[in-house]
Amino acid sequence: MERGFTGLTIEGIAQRAGVAKQTIYRWWNSKVDILLDTLIDDAREALEWRTDESASAEENLASHLRRVADFFEEPAGQVLRALLGQAQLESDTAVSLREGFLKEQRERDVTGLRELLAHDHEPVVDERTLDHLVDLLLGPLYYRVLVFGAAIDQELVDTTARLVLTLARESSSASP
């Protein structure tokens, strides 16, 4: 991240790691592959869903969103931002990012929200609604960071958590 995406080279990575360039190519085909591998490892723990038994569903959801917001400020979050930018320009990067990290993280987010709702005896929602709720949960954060390049404040986190839970309750009461 010191040099930006375009300044990052396999040669530079090899030099910094103190290995030959061929060693890097033995494990990865491109700098995108290297960044994706590190992103997956770093994000797994940083974006993990956790439940505090003494907290409400809204507090637990806001806590998770705060971790997402904090992640965007960390080096791994900056890697994600760089890869998302590159994915707009290069279809191979887009496919790798979507079929790898983003798909896995999406599955963790759907599972995490489902378990949070069940744990806190919130309404049970169907899978399609759950999928939409994840969009509504994370969309504002990604929009704030990726479109406006602005930090995610606590008000956005709290409002988003509250609104998603309200929609979950409303969608379950509207179901036949």
Side-chain angles (χ1 to χ4, degrees):
M1 293 319 306
E2 295 167 7
R3 300 173 199 264
F5 185 84
T6 55
L8 179 67
T9 64
I10 296 292
E11 293 81 8
I13 293 169
Q15 182 179 15
R16 186 88 170 251
V19 299
K21 195 166 57 167
Q22 295 82 352
T23 302
I24 301 295
Y25 279 116
R26 192 173 303 134
W27 294 99
W28 296 280
N29 293 325
S30 69
K31 67 182 181 182
V32 168
D33 292 338
I34 295 169
L35 292 173
L36 280 169
D37 275 359
T38 60
L39 175 63
I40 289 167
D41 289 343
D42 292 343
R44 192 169 286 125
E45 184 178 333
L47 299 177
E48 177 184 13
W49 283 73
R50 302 177 195 123
T51 302
D52 176 350
E53 300 294 328
S54 65
S56 69
E58 186 173 324
E59 292 167 332
N60 277 316
L61 199 51
S63 177
H64 179 71
L65 292 177
R66 185 78 256 150
R67 281 191 298 282
V68 173
D70 291 345
F71 175 78
F72 276 117
E73 300 303 317
E74 297 170 4
Q78 294 171 8
V79 167
L80 174 58
R81 293 161 74 168
L83 286 169
L84 287 166
Q86 187 64 22
Q88 304 309 304
L89 305 171
E90 187 179 289
S91 62
D92 289 346
T93 300
V95 170
S96 294
L97 186 58
R98 288 181 186 127
E99 293 302 314
F101 171 75
L102 292 174
K103 181 179 178 183
E104 290 175 22
Q105 187 58 45
R106 178 61 175 218
E107 290 167 2
R108 285 190 291 272
D109 290 332
V110 168
T111 299
L113 183 57
R114 181 188 307 110
E115 290 174 357
L116 181 137
L117 293 173
H119 178 269
D120 289 319
H121 308 293
E122 291 293 335
V124 175
V125 296
D126 62 66
E127 288 301 308
R128 182 170 180 203
T129 300
L130 187 64
D131 197 51
H132 290 167
L133 290 173
V134 169
D135 288 341
L136 294 169
L137 182 67
L138 296 169
L141 279 66
Y142 277 74
Y143 184 78
R144 174 77 55 95
V145 169
L146 298 174
V147 174
F148 285 106
I152 299 165
D153 58 47
Q154 192 62 42
E155 182 180 4
L156 178 62
V157 164
D158 294 340
T159 301
T160 301
R162 185 175 56 257
L163 289 174
V164 166
L165 288 173
T166 299
L167 289 170
R169 291 177 188 122
E170 287 177 3
S171 70
S172 78
S173 66
S175 297

